[in-house]
Amino acid sequence: MNIISTGQPTYWPTDKDKIPDIVDFCIFKGIANTNISCSSCWDLSSDHSPILVEITAEIRETTRRCTLHNKRTNWPLFRALTDEAFSVPIALQTKGDIVDAVEYFTTSVQSAAWNSTPINQHKLTEQHIPTNILQKISEKRALRKLWQQNRCPETKKRLNHKIKELKRILNNDRNVGSKRTSRVLIPPLLPTIHSGKQQRK
């Protein structure tokens, strides 16, 4: 099971000594995280703000979180860039100078981190599912839907048989894929050619 929430408080107590708390969340299962989203509803005027959970058939596009570094960050380059940026003398005489210095420090660190961190390119892997497996999955789904409607023991028996058949086909397909991968990674052994006569021990 998975849990989704807005991460924002949903209960706003009238007592000022109490802090807002999260009392609304959604528990789901069997739904991909890319097909479900959650948002807060601010239309009500009570001390409770509900959440809106939206499930879509299409994959939901999410914005990539902005980060300063990752595992491929070039830290020596980051150190060199920050040393060069902080070597510039800055006067701290007035309040405006302090604000400018803080802004310069922040932008210098961000610029050095972004220039020394390459962007991770996420490659989409294409998964090819054989036609016979897709056909078996469709048959299993149809039997499951039929059994949910009539609750017939004969339909349940056919559904169990179809599930076992699908598992057997999937296991065979995985084994074939593993053998194919091992043939590519491990080259066949070449016969050893001995030159000359074997020496007696």
Side-chain angles (χ1 to χ4, degrees):
M1 292 186 179
N2 298 321
I3 299 176
I4 186 174
S5 69
T6 60
Q8 301 173 346
T10 58
Y11 172 66
W12 308 88
T14 56
D15 190 355
K16 296 182 179 180
D17 295 334
K18 297 181 180 180
I19 59 175
D21 197 1
I22 299 177
V23 297
D24 290 81
F25 55 89
C26 176
I27 300 176
F28 64 96
K29 181 180 180 181
I31 303 175
N33 294 330
T34 54
N35 296 88
I36 187 171
S37 60
C38 183
S39 60
S40 299
C41 179
W42 309 106
D43 297 336
L44 302 181
S45 59
S46 63
D47 59 351
H48 172 258
S49 56
I51 61 174
L52 300 177
V53 178
E54 181 180 1
I55 301 175
T56 60
E58 299 179 355
I59 297 178
R60 178 174 52 90
E61 295 183 359
T62 57
T63 57
R64 181 179 298 180
R65 186 177 61 179
C66 181
T67 57
L68 287 177
H69 64 88
N70 53 35
K71 61 181 181 180
R72 300 173 58 190
T73 300
N74 188 347
W75 292 112
L77 177 60
F78 173 79
R79 186 180 297 108
L81 293 176
T82 52
D83 290 343
E84 181 181 358
F86 298 154
S87 62
V88 179
I90 299 177
L92 300 176
Q93 301 295 333
T94 63
K95 184 184 296 184
D97 293 340
I98 297 176
V99 174
D100 294 339
V102 172
E103 184 178 357
Y104 177 77
F105 174 82
T106 304
T107 55
S108 298
V109 172
Q110 290 177 345
S111 178
W114 290 333
N115 289 331
S116 56
T117 302
I119 300 176
N120 291 329
Q121 300 293 339
H122 298 280
K123 296 182 179 180
L124 298 177
T125 57
E126 182 180 357
Q127 296 182 352
H128 175 70
I129 302 178
T131 307
N132 61 329
I133 295 180
L134 292 176
Q135 180 65 26
K136 296 298 181 182
I137 293 175
S138 300
E139 294 175 359
K140 188 205 72 171
R141 290 176 178 175
L143 285 174
R144 182 181 294 276
K145 182 178 180 181
L146 181 62
W147 177 74
Q148 290 175 348
Q149 293 175 353
N150 57 21
R151 297 291 177 174
C152 178
E154 182 64 25
T155 306
K156 179 63 175 178
K157 182 178 179 180
R158 292 169 54 195
L159 176 61
N160 292 336
H161 177 73
K162 186 62 65 175
I163 291 175
K164 293 180 181 179
E165 182 183 4
L166 181 59
K167 287 182 179 179
R168 184 174 63 255
I169 294 175
L170 290 175
N171 290 331
N172 293 335
D173 185 73
R174 292 192 191 98
N175 294 334
V176 172
S178 300
K179 292 180 180 179
R180 188 182 301 112
T181 304
S182 62
R183 292 195 194 101
V184 175
L185 297 178
I186 304 176
L189 296 177
L190 298 176
T192 304
I193 301 176
H194 298 280
S195 59
K197 297 181 179 180
Q198 295 182 354
Q199 297 179 356
R200 295 181 180 179
K201 295 183 179 180

